[in-house]
Amino acid sequence: MGIRKPEQEEIIGNEIPNEGKEQNVDTEISLNKKMRPLIILSPAFLLTVGILIPFGMAIYFSFTNYSFKYPGFSFVGLENYIDMFQSKTFWHSVQVTLSYAGLSTIIETILGVAIALLLNRGNVLAKSLRTILIFPLVIAPVIATLIWQLMTNNSVGILSDWLRSIGIENFTWGADPSTALFTVIVIDAWVYTPFVTILVLAGLGSLPKAPFESAKIDGGSAWFTFKNLTLPMIMPMLLIAVLFRFMLSIQMFDIIFALTRGGPGDTLMTLPLTAYTEAFTYKDLGYSLPYMLILWVFVYIVSYFMVKYWSHTQKKASGR
């Protein structure tokens, strides 16, 4: 039996604390791995809770006669919904909303694809125009509407002066029921067509070159190449643009409110503007909420079927 040297005792004495430190580190790593998913998902959870609480309150108050004019309220059941469906104002708002959303989405999709095809060329002009194209997107829609109000003013507007120079006198723009919808769609197209163009440009940039080179060698026309190659390949990206634009157009408030506040008369009273008027002009919050909830149901249904169609188109484009 030998005698331990002091150096050996010191080494042996230090082994146990080091092992304890390693165990603590392993425990911390294990806890970090377990907590990491919770930390990552916590913002999404808080956002979901922040959305669901007001949504649930909106559903509850839509079954009441809550009003800003009176201190109390009572439960009225489906009365608000029955009154809404029997109202001519509701059906007029549905018609205006669908007309606005449908026309603006179609026009912006056609313009966005056409501009994207022009800008997809590799010349210097196309590259510089890509930067200019983003300009409308960085302007708030309300500011863009105010700019267009000045440009369409019959006294000092540059667009009105240009129309007079080609023989069109006193074009009323947003001041007349016959041209109000046209005016807001023009503003909407100016603001949001670049959004469609950017998405389509991203899709065009990801396309393989071999099929187009083969079509060019075989003598395929530009229309044949676009219809049979380009359009089917960019369809998934195009559907995303259409889905986003339709969803935003059907909920459009700021452009119409800033330009005409739903007028002239009730010409541009969409569902969001009607809900706003009922809540903050007539002070009947309980009656205004069904307008927004019906709009949410409609957006949800349309989005569900469009996403399903997008998934089908994506599989078809990838050959699966």
Side-chain angles (χ1 to χ4, degrees):
M1 185 173 180
I3 300 174
R4 290 182 180 177
K5 294 181 179 179
E7 293 84 356
Q8 292 178 336
E9 292 178 357
E10 185 177 354
I11 293 171
I12 293 170
N14 287 335
E15 285 179 357
I16 296 174
N18 288 338
E19 287 179 2
K21 289 180 181 178
E22 290 176 0
Q23 290 177 357
N24 290 336
V25 171
D26 291 340
T27 305
E28 289 178 4
I29 292 173
S30 177
L31 286 173
N32 288 337
K33 286 182 179 180
K34 290 179 180 179
M35 294 297 294
R36 192 177 301 164
L38 297 176
I39 294 171
I40 293 172
L41 292 175
S42 58
F45 174 76
L46 293 174
L47 180 63
T48 303
V49 172
I51 292 173
L52 289 179
I53 290 176
F55 185 71
M57 291 177 65
I59 294 175
Y60 171 74
F61 281 111
S62 70
F63 294 106
T64 69
N65 62 354
Y66 186 88
S67 173
F68 295 127
K69 295 180 289 187
Y70 310 109
F73 64 93
S74 58
F75 189 80
V76 295
L78 296 174
E79 184 179 327
N80 290 332
Y81 290 90
I82 294 171
D83 291 344
M84 180 186 69
F85 285 121
Q86 292 177 346
S87 171
K88 292 182 180 179
T89 302
F90 169 73
W91 294 110
H92 173 74
S93 299
V94 170
Q95 180 186 356
V96 174
T97 302
L98 293 179
S99 300
Y100 178 83
L103 288 172
S104 61
T105 302
I106 292 171
I107 291 171
E108 289 162 22
T109 302
I110 295 173
L111 288 176
V113 172
I115 295 171
L117 290 172
L118 291 174
L119 296 182
N120 193 44
R121 301 176 180 180
N123 53 43
V124 179
L125 179 61
K127 290 180 180 178
S128 16
L129 285 176
R130 288 187 186 187
T131 306
I132 300 173
L133 182 72
I134 305 174
F135 177 69
L137 284 176
V138 301
I139 300 178
V142 173
I143 303 300
T145 305
L146 295 177
I147 293 171
W148 276 84
Q149 272 188 325
L150 290 174
M151 293 195 299
T152 57
N153 186 282
N154 278 327
S155 302
V156 297
I158 186 172
L159 291 180
S160 296
D161 288 342
W162 180 76
L163 289 177
R164 279 193 288 268
S165 67
I166 59 175
I168 301 176
E169 296 287 341
N170 298 322
F171 190 78
T172 49
W173 296 100
D176 191 272
S178 61
T179 55
L181 182 61
F182 166 79
T183 305
V184 293
I185 288 176
V186 168
I187 299 172
D188 192 287
W190 184 81
V191 174
Y192 292 110
T193 296
F195 172 78
V196 180
T197 304
I198 289 171
L199 286 181
V200 175
L201 267 175
L204 291 172
S206 64
L207 298 182
K209 295 182 180 180
F212 297 94
E213 292 173 354
S214 300
K216 188 175 181 180
I217 292 171
D218 293 339
S221 63
W223 172 247
F224 175 86
T225 304
F226 172 76
K227 184 178 71 172
N228 295 282
L229 292 176
T230 307
L231 188 58
M233 289 183 180
I234 66 169
M235 187 58 72
M237 195 68 69
L238 186 59
L239 283 175
I240 292 175
V242 170
L243 175 61
F244 274 97
R245 280 309 311 133
F246 186 78
M247 287 175 61
L248 291 174
S249 296
I250 210 169
Q251 303 171 69
M252 181 55 65
F253 178 85
D254 42 10
I255 290 178
I256 299 175
F257 186 81
L259 185 70
T260 66
R261 284 172 172 75
D266 62 349
T267 305
L268 296 178
M269 288 299 290
T270 59
L271 286 171
L273 263 79
T274 304
Y276 174 86
T277 303
E278 294 290 344
F280 297 104
T281 302
Y282 301 125
K283 311 297 183 183
D284 290 327
L285 182 66
Y287 183 67
S288 71
L289 287 171
Y291 282 88
M292 297 308 299
L293 292 173
I294 289 295
L295 180 63
W296 175 83
V297 171
F298 184 75
V299 170
Y300 177 81
I301 293 171
V302 172
S303 303
Y304 174 78
F305 285 105
M306 287 192 72
V307 168
K308 284 191 71 174
Y309 183 68
W310 170 81
S311 180
H312 170 74
T313 306
Q314 191 177 35
K315 291 179 180 178
K316 187 177 178 181
S318 59
R320 288 183 287 172

